[in-house]
């Protein structure tokens, strides 16, 4: 073992050298300290901030409900966006050129549309058809050709009802998010060593099982950090729901109070603080996800553990 | 067990296999040697259809690999049927290709539980047994990155054995290992051969080929140059190219 020191010479004296000085650090610290002091001074002395008023309104019941709507929309849009994105990414990597072409077109189209434009369009889909029905495609033409009456539709929904408010916003955000997620997931899948797919194939595993059990879990390590970015971007983009409009969302509620009371700055600051707080909350979630999916990878073991193991391995061969 | 007739394989314009004829009997150990680029790994990968052959015929256990012959025509097999064929053929890779997000035991039981639908309890017991057989009974819960190269390759062998294959393919199983770890992997393979496993081993370990192999095949530029009893081929090669190759590696 490596701890067998009795036969070795005593270790040489520890080095006590004069460290390199870093005067630049002190200068930078001084500059930043002055800037911070100026900033704090402004926050305290400028009466427009109205801190008391801000705190009173920041946690008003409609604002709290708005925060809940915003979080719920973020989580739902991301969960559905990720699921749809995985489907599109797997399609994109399919050997079938039609399937892969369809996936490419989806990404090209929905990534090109600004979210606010897409949301506005989704909100007005009710104007396209009054009811949206589920049935056999081209059923009326088909029945006409067969000389029959009626149609083959099973389920009808009122267009103005589904494409309004929360649902319209959710549909728009999911469609847009899936396009971005598809590219992220594709990069993740392609980052996995092709040897993994080969090993799975050699064991007789099918394509689906291989993707689900072998490739995607390893792709997650590459997928999660940019997905964290996407989630935070999504949180902020829920403020675009004003285009639908979804009026129960956080930013709308804070701005409403601001315009009603003519106290624009305090409520704008409240909005900033809310989004910073919610982003931080989501970052905590990301941290735990990353830890979960780093099993068996280099980061699963701390540097100290690795060093100890390697020292042990080296020691045992002597 | 394995029969190849005129097997050819090209990557684009590059013809890697130029007509391979070989036969491996059940319980036989065939070692394949040759310079890099000679097509020996490609041939191995053709046997379990990781590569599609362009001409010739290849049978494993009496079944055409990757195709079905019907009415004088070849039909490609579906993905599912190819997977079913591969279940009987174990493969060990040069770079191990263990699943890094699973422990040694999880690596071993993954295919039996997902593909063969073996119960988790049975699979775990069997997996433990296999890992003990390759000398890793105490490392079942280690992740691949906590194991040495030799240990990883032994897990990979156990993983292939878990599907109870009739044939084992080894693609340079010791080439990525530190020299002092080669022996432990060869020991496991030697044990397998002694238990009567049919094996095709692409290797640079001449000692192993001499001692364990029933036949030795020397490949060069996509052709089988020489095949025969390992002791005879190694000590008294008939072809000039074999002589030239052996003089460099021995």
């Amino acid at each position: 073992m490596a701890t067998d020191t009795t036969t070795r010479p005593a270790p040489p004296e520890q080095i006590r050298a004069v460290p390199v000085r870093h005067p630049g650090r002190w200068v930078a610290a001084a500059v930043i300290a002055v800037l911070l002091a100026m900033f704090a001074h402004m926050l305290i002395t400028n009466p427009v901030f109205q801190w008391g008023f801000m705190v009173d309104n920041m946690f008003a019941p409609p604002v709290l409900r708005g925060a809940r709507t915003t979080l719920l929309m973020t989580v739902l849009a991301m969960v559905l966006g990720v699921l749809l994105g995985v489907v599109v990414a797997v399609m994109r990597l399919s050997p079938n050129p039609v399937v892969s072409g369809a996936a490419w077109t989806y990404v090209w189209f929905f990534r090109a549309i600004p979210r606010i434009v897409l949301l506005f369009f989704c909100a007005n889909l009710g104007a396209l058809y009054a009811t949206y029905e589920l049935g056999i495609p081209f059923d009326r033409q088909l029945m006409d050709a067969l000389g029959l009456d009626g149609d083959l539709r099973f389920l009808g929904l009122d267009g103005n009802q589904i494409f309004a408010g929360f649902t319209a916003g959710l549909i728009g955000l999911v469609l847009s998010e899936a396009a971005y997620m598809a590219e992220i997931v594709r990069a993740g899948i392609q980052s996995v060593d092709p040897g993994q797919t080969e090993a799975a194939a050699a064991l007789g595993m099918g394509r689906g099982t291989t993707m689900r059990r072998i490739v995607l879990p390893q792709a997650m390590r590459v997928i999660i950090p940019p997905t964290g970015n996407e989630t935070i971007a999504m949180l902020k983009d829920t403020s675009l729901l004003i285009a639908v409009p979804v009026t129960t969302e956080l930013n709308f509620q804070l701005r409403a109070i601001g315009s009603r009371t003519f106290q624009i700055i305090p409520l704008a600051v409240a909005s900033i603080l809310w989004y910073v707080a919610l982003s931080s909350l989501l970052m905590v979630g990301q941290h735990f996800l990353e830890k979960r999916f780093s099993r068996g990878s280099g980061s699963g073991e701390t540097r100290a553990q690795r060093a100890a193991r390697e020292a042990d391995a080296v020691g045992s061969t002597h | 067990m394995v029969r190849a007739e005129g097997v050819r394989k090209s990557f684009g314009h590059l013809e890697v296999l130029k007509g391979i004829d070989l036969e491996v009997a059940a319980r036989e150990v065939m070692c394949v040697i040759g310079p890099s680029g000679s097509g020996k790994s490609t041939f191995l990968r053709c046997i379990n259809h990781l590569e599609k052959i362009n001409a010739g015929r290849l049978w494993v256990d009496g079944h055409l690999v990757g195709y079905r012959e019907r009415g004088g025509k070849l039909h490609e097999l579906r993905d599912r049927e190819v997977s079913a064929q591969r279940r009987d053929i174990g493969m060990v890779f040069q770079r191990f290709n263990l699943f890094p997000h699973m422990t040694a035991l999880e690596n071993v039981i993954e295919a039996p539980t997902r593909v063969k639908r073996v119960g988790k309890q049975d699979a775990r017991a069997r997996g433990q047994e296999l890992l003990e057989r390759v000398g890793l009974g105490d490392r079942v819960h280690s992740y691949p990155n906590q194991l040495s190269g030799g240990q990883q390759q032994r897990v990979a062998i156990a993983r292939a054995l878990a599907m109870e294959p009739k044939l084992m393919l080894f693609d340079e199983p010791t080439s990525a290992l530190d020299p002092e770890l080669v022996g432990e992997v060869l020991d496991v393979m030697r044990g397998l051969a002694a238990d009567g496993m049919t094996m095709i081993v692409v290797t640079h370990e001449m000692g192993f080929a001499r001692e364990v192999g029933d036949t030795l095949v020397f490949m060069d530029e996509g052709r089988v140059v020489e095949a025969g009893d390992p002791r005879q081929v190694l000590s008294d090669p008939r072809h000039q190219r074999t002589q030239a190759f052996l003089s460099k590696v021995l």
Side-chain angles (χ1 to χ4, degrees):
Chain A
M1 286 276 129
T3 47
D4 178 23
T5 51
T6 49
T7 56
R8 295 187 190 171
E13 199 187 325
Q14 284 262 317
I15 291 176
R16 281 178 223 280
V18 180
V20 175
R21 305 292 175 196
H22 298 283
R25 286 184 193 172
W26 293 101
V27 175
V31 170
I32 288 168
V34 170
L35 287 174
L36 269 179
M38 286 168 72
F39 184 64
H41 181 254
M42 176 194 73
L43 290 183
I44 295 163
T45 55
N46 194 319
V48 180
F49 280 112
Q50 297 256 33
W51 294 109
F53 177 79
M54 187 200 84
V55 172
D56 285 345
N57 284 279
M58 200 173 160
F59 301 105
V63 174
L64 290 179
R65 278 199 299 275
R68 207 185 60 193
T69 307
T70 287
L71 258 187
L72 183 68
M73 181 67 96
T74 305
V75 170
L76 277 179
M78 280 312 292
V79 168
L80 295 176
V82 167
L83 289 178
L84 186 56
V86 170
V87 172
V88 175
V90 171
M91 283 171 66
R92 181 92 167 77
L93 295 169
S94 158
N96 180 337
V98 177
V99 170
S100 138
W104 183 88
T105 311
Y106 179 90
V107 172
W108 164 72
F109 187 72
F110 281 100
R111 222 168 37 165
I113 312 172
R115 276 193 180 158
I116 198 162
V117 175
L118 184 62
L119 286 171
F120 181 71
F121 183 77
C122 283
N124 291 286
L125 278 173
L128 219 48
Y129 290 104
T131 53
Y132 281 77
E133 297 168 319
L134 219 61
I136 311 280
F138 296 109
D139 56 337
R140 290 207 177 117
Q141 289 86 337
L142 213 79
M143 295 299 259
D144 274 351
L146 294 172
L148 298 168
D149 277 337
D151 51 25
L152 298 168
R153 301 184 183 195
F154 320 122
L155 180 68
L157 293 166
D158 184 352
N160 283 317
Q161 237 164 36
I162 32 172
F163 297 112
F166 193 88
T167 334
L170 183 61
I171 292 171
L173 289 176
V174 167
L175 288 177
S176 168
E177 185 55 38
Y180 288 96
M181 281 312 302
E183 287 298 279
I184 292 172
V185 172
R186 180 169 71 102
I189 290 174
Q190 287 179 328
S191 76
V192 177
D193 178 6
Q196 292 289 308
T197 318
E198 269 183 8
L203 286 166
M205 291 168 74
R207 260 167 46 90
T209 317
T210 304
M211 184 57 76
R212 222 175 44 248
R213 295 286 306 168
I214 308 300
V215 177
L216 281 178
Q218 293 183 60
M220 289 308 273
R221 269 194 323 124
V222 174
I223 293 173
I224 287 174
T227 304
N229 271 351
E230 288 295 311
T231 310
I232 286 167
M234 178 60 78
L235 173 75
K236 295 182 292 180
D237 282 356
T238 53
S239 57
L240 300 175
L241 289 171
I242 194 164
V244 173
V246 177
T247 50
T248 51
E249 148 291 317
L250 178 63
N251 186 50
F252 189 95
Q253 288 300 328
L254 285 162
R255 264 176 59 179
I257 300 174
S259 354
R260 204 168 56 233
T261 56
F262 300 107
Q263 300 290 347
I264 304 297
I265 286 285
L267 275 306
V269 172
S271 206
I272 290 174
L273 293 178
W274 261 111
Y275 282 107
V276 168
L278 291 178
S279 296
S280 312
L281 191 71
L282 294 176
M283 280 167 70
V284 174
Q286 180 184 350
H287 171 77
F288 284 107
L289 271 181
E290 277 184 25
K291 236 174 131 176
R292 167 73 174 72
F293 282 101
S294 66
R295 275 184 317 173
S297 74
S299 51
E301 184 182 39
T302 67
R303 236 179 245 185
Q305 280 174 326
R306 174 174 287 260
R309 181 169 56 77
E310 275 168 6
D312 209 40
V314 169
S316 61
T317 60
H318 284 297
Chain B
M1 177 65 79
V2 180
R3 192 150 63 92
E5 278 178 14
V7 170
R8 288 173 180 271
K9 169 72 193 172
S10 307
F11 293 109
H13 291 295
L14 183 72
E15 191 166 45
V16 187
L17 298 178
K18 300 171 181 165
I20 303 286
D21 300 289
L22 276 177
E23 200 157 348
V24 185
R27 306 176 72 85
E28 183 180 333
V29 176
M30 176 185 277
C31 293
V32 184
I33 59 170
S36 63
S38 60
K40 50 194 193 309
S41 286
T42 305
F43 178 62
L44 205 65
R45 293 162 57 82
C46 288
I47 296 175
N48 67 355
H49 210 54
L50 283 179
E51 305 288 354
K52 224 180 244 185
I53 61 177
N54 301 118
R57 295 281 192 278
L58 193 54
W59 290 267
V60 171
D61 203 21
H63 299 284
L64 266 183
V65 174
Y67 300 93
R68 177 184 299 118
E69 201 155 21
R70 206 193 289 139
K73 260 192 181 165
L74 281 189
H75 298 261
E76 278 186 15
L77 292 186
R78 296 170 184 286
D79 285 353
R80 189 183 303 243
E81 296 165 315
V82 172
S83 293
Q85 284 193 334
R86 287 182 179 139
R87 266 162 232 173
D88 292 336
I89 308 172
M91 184 153 188
V92 175
F93 298 86
Q94 182 177 354
R95 281 167 52 251
F96 328 136
N97 294 352
L98 288 181
F99 306 133
H101 57 304
M102 299 180 182
T103 63
L105 186 61
E106 285 167 350
N107 262 280
V108 174
I109 67 171
E110 178 67 14
T113 50
R114 299 281 153 182
V115 179
K116 278 192 167 174
R117 307 262 166 221
V118 176
K120 200 129 200 186
Q121 216 70 36
D122 296 344
R124 290 180 80 88
R126 174 94 179 107
Q128 177 80 38
E129 207 174 281
L130 281 166
L131 285 168
E132 268 159 26
R133 180 165 164 198
V134 299
L136 291 170
D138 54 338
R139 302 307 300 267
V140 288
H141 298 303
S142 300
Y143 284 96
N145 72 338
Q146 297 164 333
L147 298 172
S148 74
Q151 291 171 329
Q152 288 188 52
Q153 194 60 298
R154 285 187 279 151
V155 174
I157 294 173
R159 179 176 71 173
L161 290 176
M163 290 298 280
E164 289 165 345
K166 298 174 189 154
L167 167 70
M168 284 284 285
L169 308 174
F170 292 86
D171 187 6
E172 302 198 24
T174 57
S175 298
L177 296 178
D178 290 341
E180 82 265 25
L181 303 178
V182 169
E184 59 190 63
V185 172
L186 292 182
D187 282 343
V188 169
M189 292 168 62
R190 203 169 281 132
L192 267 183
D195 290 346
M197 177 61 79
T198 313
M199 295 162 59
I200 303 181
V201 186
V202 171
T203 187
H204 295 294
E205 295 296 326
M206 300 303 159
F208 178 84
R210 185 197 309 268
E211 185 196 332
V212 183
D214 298 306
T215 13
L216 182 65
V217 171
F218 173 68
M219 279 180 70
D220 193 22
E221 293 180 354
R223 289 198 177 83
V224 173
V225 175
E226 192 162 349
D229 178 54
R231 277 156 292 265
Q232 184 264 311
V233 175
L234 286 173
S235 55
D236 182 23
R238 253 172 266 149
H239 282 263
Q240 216 171 355
R241 268 185 293 174
T242 321
Q243 288 165 10
F245 175 75
L246 289 176
S247 71
K248 278 181 217 148
V249 296
L250 285 181

